[in-house]
Amino acid sequence: MLQSDSARVLDIYRMGLETRNSTFETIVPSWTEWDARHHSHSRFVDIENENITGWIALSPFSSRQVYKGVAEVSIYVDPLYQRRKIGSQLMKQVIDSSEKNGLWTLFSSVFPENEATLKLHQKFGFRIIGSREKIAMLDGKWRDTILLERRSKK
């Protein structure tokens, strides 16, 4: 992922926000805000015919030093390109990169209704570690999340 990809990355993120099934966030951040929240490594885009179709990036789980090897996964695919294995390609890349960059645990929080994302994570060795009932509101409605994690094999 390059700085020049920023507009398309944020556009795909906006599409995810609009589904109301990807995140509790409702406002697309500026690139500066997005960039500051994510690791500088382990950011990837999928490109087909010179068009970015999806992206994946990691965010620090905590600012505490003891958790420096734990990161949260964000993955978004343009709805026009879903069900084409783009998520799988991106997940493989980010797992490989995370291990090369010294991360030992990847974490994700997914809405239970987002079955495709849950299946994608489980396909790559993420295990369900629990759920958070009514953790936050989205559009005035309490929503639950499923927590998943993947420990590095290295």
Side-chain angles (χ1 to χ4, degrees):
M1 183 183 299
L2 305 173
Q3 170 104 19
S4 58
D5 299 331
S6 63
R8 182 66 174 142
V9 166
L10 293 178
D11 188 44
I12 292 170
Y13 183 63
R14 176 194 52 76
M15 292 177 206
L17 295 181
E18 290 173 353
T19 69
R20 295 300 199 252
N21 238 7
S22 298
T23 178
F24 283 105
E25 300 296 334
T26 58
I27 299 170
V28 177
S30 69
W31 179 253
T32 302
E33 293 169 315
W34 187 98
D35 186 49
R37 287 188 231 160
H38 293 83
H39 281 297
S40 58
H41 63 79
S42 305
R43 299 175 176 193
F44 299 98
V45 293
D46 181 80
I47 300 173
E48 290 185 23
N49 300 320
E50 300 181 25
N51 183 41
I52 294 173
T53 60
W55 61 266
I56 194 165
L58 300 178
S59 305
F61 173 74
S62 172
S63 61
R64 294 175 59 194
Q65 185 64 18
V66 296
Y67 296 118
K68 68 180 178 188
V70 182
E72 184 172 6
V73 176
S74 293
I75 183 167
Y76 289 82
V77 176
D78 181 322
L80 295 175
Y81 293 90
Q82 291 176 353
R83 292 170 183 57
R84 295 188 190 185
K85 307 274 187 218
I86 293 167
S88 291
Q89 293 167 19
L90 291 168
M91 188 67 82
K92 182 181 181 331
Q93 282 185 286
V94 88
I95 288 170
D96 291 345
S97 178
S98 71
E99 291 176 341
K100 288 176 186 166
N101 283 282
L103 300 180
W104 56 78
T105 298
L106 296 180
F107 163 82
S108 201
S109 178
V110 179
F111 289 127
E113 298 83 3
N114 195 340
E115 294 176 13
T117 299
L118 288 169
K119 287 178 185 174
L120 174 66
H121 281 74
Q122 290 174 314
K123 174 181 173 181
F124 282 89
F126 284 76
R127 65 185 181 92
I128 294 174
I129 57 171
S131 63
R132 296 184 293 188
E133 185 178 329
K134 298 180 181 176
I135 187 68
M137 290 185 102
L138 179 60
D139 298 331
K141 180 181 173 188
W142 287 105
R143 299 286 300 267
D144 302 342
T145 58
I146 304 294
L147 304 175
L148 301 108
E149 74 174 11
R150 181 190 185 278
R151 288 287 294 194
S152 172
K153 307 281 190 270
K154 297 184 178 185

